[in-house]
């Protein structure tokens, strides 16, 4: 297995452990590939749920740019809902898992069908 495959398996296990769901491996793989080399960097591969600046970056760069959503208070509410489900005590929130859950939360999985 490649390093990326190992990470995707780790993300799928995280979805099972933290969210109690079996990952849609096709979507998870596409989200992970979409993150490019950032998944290999210890800092950029994670999202800090308590850092407002980072959550704003997730909103702008992922929800608005990648998913094509308009700026709306519901975006930050969605981000915070995903962060809450991931668990505030969990310091290792994988960016790929957060983005996967956000795509599901906002019903934007079709963005990855292109």
């Amino acid at each position: 297995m490649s390093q990326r495959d190992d990470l995707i398996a780790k993300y799928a296990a995280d979805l099972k452990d933290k969210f109690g769901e079996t990952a849609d491996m096709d979507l998870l793989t596409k989200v992970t590939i979409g993150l490019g080399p950032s998944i290999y960097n210890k800092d950029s591969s994670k999202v800090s749920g308590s850092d407002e600046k980072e959550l704003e970056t997730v909103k702008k760069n992922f929800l608005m740019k990648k998913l094509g959503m308009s700026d709306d208070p519901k975006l930050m509410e969605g981000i915070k809902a995903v962060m809450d489900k991931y668990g505030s005590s969990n310091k290792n929130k994988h960016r790929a898992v957060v983005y996967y859950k956000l795509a599901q939360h906002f019903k934007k999985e079709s963005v990855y069908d292109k």
Side-chain angles (χ1 to χ4, degrees):
M1 286 176 78
S2 71
Q3 187 178 4
R4 184 176 71 201
D5 291 338
D6 291 343
L7 287 170
I8 291 169
K10 184 196 302 188
Y11 302 152
D14 217 31
L15 282 161
K16 189 77 164 161
D17 294 344
K18 307 293 188 301
F19 295 92
E21 66 182 63
T22 302
D24 172 340
M25 293 308 287
D26 187 48
L27 177 63
L28 183 58
T29 300
K30 288 175 181 176
V31 169
T32 303
I33 290 169
L35 285 166
S38 70
I39 62 171
Y40 304 109
N41 179 292
K42 188 177 183 212
D43 187 48
S44 64
S45 69
K46 306 275 194 302
V47 175
S48 170
S50 59
D51 183 346
E52 290 297 324
K53 195 171 134 199
E54 183 156 11
L55 299 181
E56 192 64 31
T57 301
V58 168
K59 181 178 91 169
K60 287 183 177 150
N61 291 348
F62 183 67
L63 296 179
M64 294 169 68
K65 284 184 183 172
K66 176 70 181 170
L67 300 186
M69 300 180 74
S70 301
D71 196 359
D72 184 286
K74 289 189 187 318
L75 300 186
M76 196 55 76
E77 289 169 19
I79 292 170
K80 292 196 174 179
V82 167
M83 291 299 172
D84 287 346
K85 283 184 186 167
Y86 215 143
S88 56
S89 63
N90 178 16
K91 300 292 180 217
N92 291 312
K93 294 178 181 74
H94 298 287
R95 187 169 303 275
V97 173
V98 170
Y99 284 14
Y100 169 92
K101 291 302 296 175
L102 286 169
Q104 285 185 326
H105 179 86
F106 289 108
K107 309 225 180 309
K108 292 286 190 177
E109 298 96 332
S110 63
V111 168
Y112 288 96
D113 292 341
K114 297 173 183 164

